[in-house]
Amino acid sequence: MKNLNVIKDELQNGIYDGKLKDVYVDEELVAYNRKRYVDALEKFEELFGDKEVELYSAPGRSEVCGNHTDHQNGHVLATSINLDAIAVAALADDGRVRLVSDDYPMIEMNIRDLEKKEEEKESTASLIRGVAAGLQKMGYSIGGFYAYVTSDVLMGAGLSSSAAFESLMGTIFSGLYNGMSVSSVGIAKAGQIAENEYFGKPCGLMDQMACSVGGLIYIDFKDKENPVIEQVPCDFEKNAYSLCIVDTKGSHADLTDDYAAIPEEMGRIAAFFGKKLLREVTSPEFFGNIAKLRENTDDRCLLRAMHFFTEQERVKEGVNALKKDDFTGFLDVIKRSGDSSAKLLQNIYSPKEPHVQNMTVALGASEYVLKDRGVCRVHGGGFAGTIQAFVENEAVEEYRTFMESIFGEGTCHVLKVRPYGGIKI
């Protein structure tokens, strides 16, 4: 730990510029992020006084392939991105967490009390308490801290702002109380406990894993307690493509039921075969019983399960294409994955509001402007929020201009793959 004003001076004198370039990948983002950390230190001092502090960062994520397969113990390809949540944190010896996130009111809690609170559901406080409970259950130490948090991970835009926050909290506990010994998988699992059990939102483990591990990663969730994680080689600059995320400004409010219906309906198909999860059913078993499934379930359940089984193969195809440096083959996989999400998984708009289809408009507009210069697909959980596009570098500005003419200035974000998950700066 260092005095916050010492760290501030070091930042302003460029001592950390090499680290910032390494973390955020883009030279043009060094000055921006240097200022973010300086501003965060000043805000922390304003809130909590002059203390010995540490700086932490956890990235947002972009799901690349494997849409809604993690909750069925499936295969996923995901990446961390160079937008993140950062924190200035200091030890508190009274067992209390005092945290301010951007301009929101201060959260204060006794972290020694890890019981779930009904009144905290769907709140930031529930995520902090849940992460602490998850880590303690794994045998790690927890304790109080002061923290100021700020984030440029877009909220409600499918980049997993909540998972970034959970990863950030786990990394703070790891740094302050465990000598940074908590594994990235452990932090991800604690984040899932926080989201599922304390916040009250059903989710798989993919978001948390992508935020905590970092880089472009393939994850096999067959054994969720010990997921297989593999770094996948990919050089977007070499192939002259950019990853673009378009925020279509659709609200995620009141979509919990839509998200929950997907694992529930997939589970109904699994139950037909006497299993809990689709991963426990073979593809030939499923496709050989479609007529019987239609008699015993309904077509949407069937179609969503069909997406799961075909998406599993696409993830493996995509990983193999990248390993062979076949970027054209990879792009074909992404296009087919997006088509499956739209047609089979059916998560590009909420069935509760069929006349509001921000993402469908964005996908149609993307295909119109890109033609053979890129591919697009739904991003993240779906129903509202963002789409993802892999775009030829020469077409990026045209694409950005066209999409922002529809959804507003600043809605198209050109991102980089960040090589790190949750870290201490």
Side-chain angles (χ1 to χ4, degrees), residues 5 89 97 120 139 156 224-225 233 240 247 306 328 393 408-410 422-423:
N5 284 298
V97 168
E120 281 184 357
K224 270 199 172 173
E225 293 305 309
D247 181 3
M306 192 178 293
T328 300
N393 286 343
E409 186 177 351
I423 57 170

Side-chain angles (χ1 to χ4, degrees), residues 147-394:
Y148 173 70
V149 173
T150 184
S151 177
D152 61 8
V153 182
L154 307 172
M155 293 183 66
L159 299 175
S160 287
S161 56
S162 61
F165 181 82
E166 292 152 17
S167 181
L168 185 65
M169 293 301 102
T171 306
I172 290 173
F173 283 121
S174 180
L176 294 181
Y177 289 99
N178 298 277
M180 291 299 290
S181 66
V182 184
S183 70
S184 55
V185 174
I187 289 173
K189 288 179 179 178
Q192 186 188 31
I193 288 170
E195 190 126 5
N196 287 358
E197 299 179 19
Y198 284 73
F199 188 87
K201 178 182 176 181
C203 71
L205 191 58
M206 186 271 290
D207 291 354
Q208 289 78 11
M209 288 288 283
C211 292
S212 64
V213 174
L216 184 64
I217 56 172
Y218 159 73
I219 314 169
D220 183 351
F221 286 114
K222 184 175 183 179
D223 178 0
K224 270 199 172 173
E225 293 305 309
N226 300 285
V228 175
I229 306 167
E230 181 183 350
Q231 296 280 343
V232 180
C234 185
D235 190 339
F236 285 91
E237 293 305 312
K238 171 188 169 184
N239 290 286
Y241 267 79
S242 293
L243 169 60
C244 298
I245 300 294
V246 180
D247 181 3
T248 70
K249 299 302 181 183
S251 172
H252 278 75
D254 301 320
L255 293 178
T256 298
D257 291 346
D258 291 323
Y259 294 129
I262 294 178
E264 189 274 329
E265 291 178 11
M266 288 184 178
R268 285 167 60 186
I269 299 295
F272 174 86
F273 296 97
K275 307 295 184 181
K276 289 185 177 181
L277 300 169
L278 288 180
R279 182 60 185 269
E280 299 168 330
V281 180
T282 69
S283 183
E285 281 180 309
F286 169 74
F287 283 101
N289 283 277
I290 288 181
K292 291 180 180 178
L293 284 165
R294 293 193 73 196
E295 294 173 2
N296 288 273
T297 58
D298 64 52
D299 283 348
R300 194 171 75 170
C301 295
L302 178 73
L303 291 168
R304 285 176 163 172
M306 192 178 293
H307 165 80
F308 171 84
F309 287 107
T310 56
E311 186 79 341
Q312 294 303 278
E313 294 305 314
R314 283 187 290 271
V315 171
K316 288 184 279 188
E317 283 183 61
V319 171
N320 289 334
L322 290 173
K323 287 180 176 179
K324 295 175 183 176
D325 199 20
D326 177 11
F327 202 75
T328 300
F330 165 72
L331 293 176
D332 177 65
V333 168
I334 300 307
K335 184 181 188 310
R336 288 187 283 119
S337 174
D339 289 345
S340 180
S341 289
K343 296 173 185 176
L344 303 179
L345 187 61
Q346 300 179 20
N347 68 330
I348 58 173
Y349 65 90
S350 173
K352 292 180 287 193
E353 291 192 90
H355 299 289
V356 180
Q357 297 197 30
N358 297 40
M359 286 197 297
T360 319
V361 171
L363 292 168
S366 295
E367 290 180 353
Y368 166 77
V369 70
L370 290 175
K371 298 181 173 60
D372 61 352
R373 298 177 299 169
V375 297
C376 61
R377 51 156 293 168
V378 62
H379 183 249
F383 299 110
T386 60
I387 67 160
Q388 175 191 87
F390 292 92
V391 181
E392 286 184 4
N393 286 343
E394 292 183 357

Side-chain angles (χ1 to χ4, degrees), residues 1-12 16 38 41 53-55:
M1 280 197 171
K2 289 185 179 179
N3 178 270
L4 65 85
N5 284 298
V6 171
I7 298 176
K8 185 168 75 172
D9 288 343
E10 291 176 341
L11 278 162
Q12 291 172 327
Y16 295 102
V38 168
L41 286 161
V53 300
E54 292 179 338
L55 304 180

Side-chain angles (χ1 to χ4, degrees), residues 398-412:
E398 180 186 352
Y399 180 69
R400 189 208 306 260
T401 299
F402 185 68
M403 298 309 287
E404 292 190 353
S405 74
I406 300 170
F407 297 103
E409 186 177 351
T411 52
C412 181

